[in-house]
Amino acid sequence: MTQDFRTSAGGRIDRSSPVDFTFDGKAYRGFAGDTLASALLANGIHLVGRSYKYHRPRGIITAGSEEPNALVGIAREKGQNTPNLRAPQVEIYQGLNAESQNRYPSLSFDVGAVNDLLSPLFVAGFYYKTFMWPRSFWQKVYEPFIRSAAGLGKAPTDPDKDRYANHYAHCDVLVIGSGPAGLAAATAAAQSGARVILCDEQSELGGSLLHDRTSAVDGKPAVDWAADAIRALSENDKVTLLPRTTGFGYYAQNFVALAERVTDHLANPDPRLPRERLWQVRAKEVVIATGAIERPLVFPENDRPGVMMAEAGRIYLNRYGAMAGKRVVIATACDTAYRTAVDLKAAGVDVAVIADLRPDPAGVHVDAARSAGIRIEGACVVTGTKGRLRVKSARLGRIRPDGSVTAMGEEACDSLLMSGGWTPNVSLYSQSRGKVAWDEDAGAYLPGASVQHERSAGSCHGVFGLQAVLEDGYAAGENAARAVTSAAKRPKVPAVTGGEEGAGGTLGALPHDRDPARVRAFIDFQNDVTAKDVKLAVREGFHSIEHIKRYTTTGMATDQGRLSNMNALSVASKTLEKPIPQVGLTTFRQPYTPVTFGTFATTARGEAFDPVRRTPMHDWAVEKGAEFEDVSLWKRAWYFPKPGESMHDAVARECATVRESVGIFDATTLGKIEVVGPDAAEFLNRVYTNPFLKLGVGRLRYGIMLNEAGFIMDDGVVGRIAEERFHVTTTTGGAPRVLAHLEDYLQTEWPDLNVWLTSTTEQWAVIAVQGPKARDVIAPLVEGIDLSTESMPHMSVREGKICGVPTRLFRMSFTGEAGYEINVPASRGREVWDAVWNNVEAVGGAPYGTETMHVLRAEKGYIIVGQETDGTVVPDDVGMDWAVGKKKADFIGMRSLARPDIVVAGRKQLVGVLTNDPKVILEEGAQVTAEASPALKTPALGYVTSSYYSSALGRSMALAMIADGRGRMGDTLYVSTAEGAVAVEIVSPVFYDAEGGKQVA
Amino acid sequence: MLLITCPYCGVERPEIEFRYAGEAHIARPAEPSKLTDEEWAEYLYMRTNPKGLLAERWRHAHGCGRFFNAIRDTVSDRFVTIYKMGEAKPDLERLVVEAAQ
Ligand SMILES: [Zn+2]
């Protein structure tokens, strides 16, 4: 197809640069500077999509980001498509491959269109009404149906290959929108010396000036004046110009998020460029200059392809040289549509008639149309359209003084351009948490008082007419600059000819002479919401506009209802017989238009999503073939399988090796805090349940830390290195939380205590050596420490050297075997590890991972905070009342241990669980009940917290938290499994070496 | 994202450097064991949760590490004043009056 609907000259396209692209697989040609929408229109294509619910054929309606119908998917390569792009915003490039959406198998023949015939089923609230019953239909019938028939566009299937960038920026004045108001504001602010960012969602700056054929500013055509203003701004070092950049989110304290589309419009983008760039702008002042949006007219069959907004018709004509049609009917209630009529006529388009709702249209724009010889009918309304995939004719009717309508016959046309007047675009003002106010004279919601440092300029706050808009823009720019600099000035406002304000407008459904039961007038094109749907919702009791929105889905389109809201509101207001301000307006929220996930993620993807923490021994574990698990940000060696070993085999072998010989374990990830000062012991005495004042130098103590509510928040071993120096360890994941907790009490409750806290987690590497041969293995490497049990018993710490490296050597055990934890500076960790490993290997020892560590401690009944505890567990619940200092006057959480709900009987207590069948390994989290098949709604007695195969026991074992557990020793209870309940015996949680002789040997 | 001024560092920094730490000026009782269960529950759990000005604690967690107090309007999210730990709580009613002027 050739570009039959292209004008012979004019527009901002480059006619010397043809661009070939495909739409639904068919080849078309446009020109550089075209959008997909303008290029399709130039080729005579209006039909570009099917509607969401009824699959009705739909055409291009607007020329902006508010486009509800022309949503397309763009495929760059396989698996990398972007869905739901708005065709008026898609710039064509050589080879562009665009697909329409929501149609099967093709745009012109769509099987889903049967929904249209079934439309009585799809009334307001159809989601809530239709898919209710029977319940079993959900999974098999309703959901697959909704998923295949509904939904716009296809999500990409592969990970996004593109890069996205992030940019933090600060400026004095951020101007959003570069039409006449925005350009004027940016110019005034820049000339005042302010640092300015001017952004616009379109490919070119200039806004409405780019398609204004008739106005002149400062004696120049409007478009030339705009070019000069933009050039002046671009030459100013303090000004940043950002086309293709949508201000999509206005947040607290003038934090505004912009999405810049960097390469999507290019055929062969520089691979060094990101696809999109997120700008996080902190602006001292913001000028919102986002213009106004033309309202559709709500008349029967207003959704037929070929029906378009009047201003869009003028934009496509003047900016892109694309004609909406060759014979056009214009339906309006507003003067601005006359400008479209005049421009079309001047371009050689046959303007059949201007049908104006108003009985006596008058004014400068009307006069211009009349003198161009265009037929004008007052008190005239469109009552319908005909045509299958494109409008062929418009039905017209005469509005009589009593409001009734009589048919005037049909007018043949291939396009119908409509205007219901203008809605100020208050989205960003609303996002800034400002409250919009109803303005009766303007018939619109306008920005009210500023909540943040912002001001609106131009038609987005109800100022219309080019001269007034420019004046308003200069004033806004000057005032914004004045707020941040002392030298604000307002440039002389240039004289404007033309561009006069266009009066008029209408809201809500238009009168007609058709059978109301048989025709539909659409309010929200994207969601297929009609005037009838809104009325029905009101009749069914939805009186708040927020409820009506959710029930009918009106205003939930990709433009958040900028196009449809006011018409919906008007219909609701008339049905409710309440004035519009009493019905309210839905809140506009971020983002202004859809933003890609990539732009939000920026560089935080893959490896850069979160930091990864690795210990000095990490590479060694990798070389040894370890499997790893993530513990908070750490990579921890999980187990060390030998060739051919399963995880079960490896863990059983590692456990046996530790119990019988010796194992080496990387405990570097434990949190470590150095607590120093004259009051260090007093401080620890207050934050742990255990007594610490009398802990001797060189001794270790296991400590439990509670929060003030009495619940266990962390545990660890504390060593007294010197009278005023303690080495505190925390759980791997708990270190930052514990440090913050300690700092909180130290700084805010007990500032009188002279104590310093320093995180030393990163400074120490920790090598655990556990097992009967542990001492033999490390002894040859240690200098200056007597390792004999008499001199260095269980739970003691000594300073000395190992392999020549300074060490704090802990004698302690989390396995039940005798053992050591060797603390050395992290930078020396690997060399000490290698030396210790040599000796471990020589005696037949093995490295072990976190899984073996978990099994060994569970055999001893040692808890893991966060596994046996869940934030509601006190020490007595896990059998650790022994760790609570009874003689202490106070410690954090102590008072709570006497609360009625803590001392009450029936709390869950830690127990051991043995399945009657020793081969069954329970699932952690499984529920424990008194009966195998309890009656429905019987509460569980508790749940399994840890469950393993124990090589020491030669069978399975588990820990559980069970109501009154310690009183149930020997009882048989039941635990749910995937194969049904199994019988278990409740036993002591200490399965191995209950006397504890091994670890002190 | 809010901007918060640390009174110790004397600089305005983005919210991600800070951690919220609950309502301010709730002192831990000197002798908790002498409190009734009701009094202890009051200390543990009951907060003013106002619509309007709230005295609250923040910590410059990724800066100097210090806790400090702030008066924030829970409606507008605006910080009215920020002060060091240990300084007296401002008169909130007077702040409201001043803000209205
Ligand atoms: Zn600070």
Side-chain angles (χ1 to χ4, degrees), chain B residues 6-11 17-18 60 63-66 68:
Chain B
C6 172
Y8 295 100
C9 297
V11 292
E17 286 191 14
F18 299 83
H60 195 187
C64 62
R66 303 289 293 271
F68 57 88

Side-chain angles (χ1 to χ4, degrees), chain B residues 25 69 71 81 83-91:
Chain B
H25 303 293
N69 290 331
I71 305 295
T81 185
Y83 52 104
K84 292 179 181 176
M85 205 50 72
E87 290 178 7
K89 180 179 178 179
D91 182 344

